[in-house]
Every structure is written in structure tokens, then in C-alpha cells.
Amino acid sequence: MTDAPKLKVGFIGTGNIARGGHLPHLSRWEDVDLVAFCDVDEQAAGRAVQEYGGAAYTEVERMLDESALDAVYVCLPPFAHTNQELLAVERGVALFVEKPLAVDLAKAAEIHAAIHKSGLISAVGYNWRSTAITQIARERMAGKQVSAAFAYWIGGFPGVMWWRQQAQSGGQMNEQATHVVDIARHLIDARAVTVYAQGARGIGSKKWERHDICDHIVATVTFDNGAVLCAGTGHLGPGGFRTGVDFLLDDLVVTHNNNELMVKTPDGEDQISNTNKPYEVEDRAFLDAVRSGDGDGVYCSYADAFETHRITMAINESVDSGQVVRL
């Protein structure tokens, strides 16, 4: 790693996911040069530069033009995705995009089309995929078809203000529960064909200001291999209720909660704790792909993530219309 030229890496957005998820280890890697940080908050960009070096920007286009990046991390809330990815694609810069992709389907589709046309390396931060226990789950589930899966992201009050607003977060199914929808789709390993969902409202809007998302959503997703996913999300469980996915196969139940894997067979149950650091693993795979030009090693490309985004957007559509949505 030390003999190779350093990859010039920049960040668009320097908030919690950048500082807590990616920068601590990227700053230690000898083949990475953190050269640029862009944030609408000039002080936030400046703090990142003070800690990690490089140059601070408030304008994405200027950063991309002046920094000659090999790769850029886009770490923005859903509503803030406008033209950042498109500007990077125009300049031939590889993209790592934090989930969720956007607040709606149209913007994500535009970015997906641009990345596909360019052939650039891309990755999306669905970090449940890069856990060691996900690989174990794939091995235990190999050769067996999932009949049904039950996914949960039901916790407490969404403390970040924009999480509570549909126009800014896309709702909890898009913002947080997208992780369990994605890992369910990934391990079911099939194409979603229909979505039907219903949402409950009325409690949260009375309790908290600037709150217009559903209190809870329950969705049913069918896949072209016959599997059915029931996905639920909400935030009225004090202190958190449950996060994870149960997969039901023939004589096998696999439960994945991102920290632990439970595999139950007629002979007993195995409990397997995760042993790796998924943010580091996904970042290493992405940067290795940027260096080699071969994107097969990334854990989730933008095109793959777009299929999960289509499901969460269809869930929102079904809640609004009361109708089954066909993908």
C-alpha cells in the first residue's frame, strides 16, 4: 500500500457520517491523501481541514476544479443532493455516496444514469453489507431460497430535525430503515416486483414540532423468486424497540441485526458476533476499486443501491396512494 501513489480524496459534507464513519481511518491510511473538504458551513469545512489537512471550500464546483481528485465522498442528508454527484461525474471523479441516495426517485435516477453512462467507479454506504456476518449469512443461506423475511427499524424519537420532515428525509423508511430493506434485498438476492404499504400518523405530529412523517409504516414487498418481505419502521418505541431482519428458509432461520448473526436449524442455534469494522472494509474496497479501475469488488455500487432506493420510494408512493406499486 505504501509503494503506490496516494489517492487524492475529497469530501462533500463534513458532518457526523463523514467525521464518525470515514475520516478517522482514511486519515491513517498511507495510500490516501485527504486534500479537500467542502461544506455549506464554512466553519465545518475549516474544522475538517484543521484536523485532517487539505483545503476548505464552500462551493463544490470550485473544489472539484482545483483539487484534481481521484475520488470524492458525498456525505449529505437526502434533501441536499442536487448537482454534486453530477459535477463529479462530469470531471471523471469516482464517487462514494452515503445512503440514502436522495429524497425522491427522480434525482437518484438522474445520478444513476450519469454514473452508468460514464463508467466511473461508484459505491454507496450500505455498510451492513460489509460486515463479516453478512458473508457468513450468505454462506449459511447458499443453495436455499428465502420464503419470507421480516425487517424492522423501530426505535425512539428521531432527534435530528430534518429526519422528522418528509420533504427533507423522505421519511424513516428512506432515511434509516433503508439499511434493513437493503440487506433483506441483498440476501434474498432477487428483483422486487410489487410493493404495498400503509402508514400510521397522528401521534408524532401532536407530540413534536415540525413533524410530518408517518409514526409507523408497514410494507409488503414481493420478489420475482417468490420471496415476500414485510418491512416495518417507526419511532414510538421508547429507548428503541428492534432493528434487524429475520430470514425464513427451509429448516433455517437467519437473523441479522448488524452486530450479531443468529442461525437456527433443527439441530440448534448459533450466535455469531460481528468481528470486523464495516466502514473500514467498505472504504478499503472502494479505494482499491478506484486504484484498479475494477468496480466488481465494491460492496454496493450506485446502480445496486438504486434498486433499494426504488423500493423505499415505492413504499412512500403506496402509502400516499393506497395502491399496490409495480416496479
Side-chain angles (χ1 to χ4, degrees), residues 95-109:
L95 280 160
F96 187 105
V97 181
E98 266 300 342
K99 47 58 61 187
L101 303 184
V103 77
D104 59 14
L105 186 61
K107 175 54 64 178

Side-chain angles (χ1 to χ4, degrees), residues 300-320:
C300 183
S301 67
Y302 198 99
D304 198 357
F306 182 68
E307 294 305 310
T308 296
H309 191 68
R310 289 179 67 213
I311 295 174
T312 59
M313 291 297 98
I315 289 171
N316 285 347
E317 181 183 346
S318 183
V319 168
D320 290 341

Side-chain angles (χ1 to χ4, degrees), residues 4 13 48 53 61-62 73-74 79 83 85 183 191 213 218 228 231 246 250 261 264 282 292 317:
E61 196 162 8
R62 184 181 168 204
Y73 280 70
V74 181
F79 65 89
N83 65 347
E85 291 94 338
I183 201 66
R191 185 176 62 86
I213 62 173
V218 177
V228 178
D246 299 317
D250 183 20
L261 190 73
K264 187 175 183 179
E282 67 178 0
S292 70
E317 181 183 346

